[in-house]
Amino acid sequence: MSAPGTTAPAARGRRELAYAVLLCLAGAGLACWAVTRTWAVEVTARGSLPSGRAGRTGTDLLPWVLGLTYVGLAGGGAVLATRGRLRRLLGVLLAGVGVAVTVGGGIGLTEAGVSRQWPALVLAGGLALAAGGAFTALRGDGWPAMGARYERRSAPADEPGRPAVERGTRDAWDALDRGEDPTVS
C-alpha cells in the first residue's frame, strides 16, 4: 500500500497521458472553432441601395490555420496509439503545430479591422496545443501504451479435422471468405 499523497507510477502515467491528450484536443478544438467564426465585417456603400455587408472568417484570412488545427486534432488522438520514441516525436510535432497556430492567432490580432476575441481564442488554443505537445515530448515515453488486444495477431494454424466454427468465429468468417463451408471439417 502506498503512502498518502503518493501514487503508483502506472496511475500517474495514465493521468499524465489523459492530461496531455485532453490539452492537445481542447487546444486544437478551440482554435478550430475560433478560426471558423466571423472575424471581420466589411461594409460597402452602394449608392441609394442599402449598404452591402460581407463577413470574413479567420479561415478566409488565414486558411492554413484551419489545416493546422486538423493536424492538431488528429495528432492528439494519435498520442494514444503511439508509444516510446514515436510518441515523443509526435509530441515535438504537436508542439510545433501549436506554435504555428499561436502565430496565426497573433497575426489575426495585428490585422486592422478584425475582431480581437476570435484571434485571441486561436492564440489560446495554439498555446494549449503547444503545451500538450511539449508535455508529450518531455514525458511521453514513460506513459502506458494501448493494450495487446489492439495489436495484430498472426493467423492461427489450421487444425485439421475440426470445423472452423469450433476453432472460433474469426476462423469461420475467414473460411466463408475463402468460399468454404465452415461447418464441414
Side-chain angles (χ1 to χ4, degrees):
M1 186 169 181
S2 62
T6 62
T7 59
R12 187 179 73 226
R14 284 191 302 272
R15 189 172 46 249
E16 288 179 355
L17 173 62
Y19 290 153
V21 169
L22 288 175
L23 198 56
C24 288
L25 293 178
L30 176 65
C32 183
W33 176 72
V35 80
T36 59
R37 304 296 101 198
T38 301
W39 286 19
V41 176
E42 296 174 357
V43 179
T44 56
R46 299 188 303 178
S48 62
L49 296 173
S51 300
R53 298 174 59 94
R56 297 188 67 192
T57 65
T59 306
D60 294 334
L61 300 172
L62 303 166
W64 52 272
V65 174
L66 183 62
L68 289 176
T69 62
Y70 290 153
V71 171
L73 286 169
V79 168
L80 293 172
T82 57
R83 68 177 83 161
R85 289 183 182 163
L86 183 60
R87 183 180 281 164
R88 291 183 79 173
L89 182 63
L90 179 63
V92 170
L93 174 72
L94 286 172
V97 168
V99 168
V101 170
T102 302
V103 167
I107 290 171
L109 284 173
T110 62
E111 291 288 322
V114 171
S115 170
R116 299 291 178 237
Q117 66 189 10
W118 302 120
L121 286 176
V122 169
L123 189 133
L127 288 175
L129 177 59
F135 188 53
T136 300
L138 294 174
R139 304 280 309 241
D141 61 345
W143 296 339
M146 295 175 80
R149 66 178 170 213
Y150 299 106
E151 298 290 328
R152 184 175 183 159
R153 288 183 245 142
S154 61
D158 286 335
E159 298 175 27
R162 285 184 60 199
V165 172
E166 291 178 13
R167 289 189 306 248
T169 307
R170 182 158 182 97
D171 289 337
W173 284 109
D174 289 341
L176 281 173
D177 287 342
R178 290 189 302 267
E180 301 170 4
D181 183 358
T183 61
V184 178
S185 53

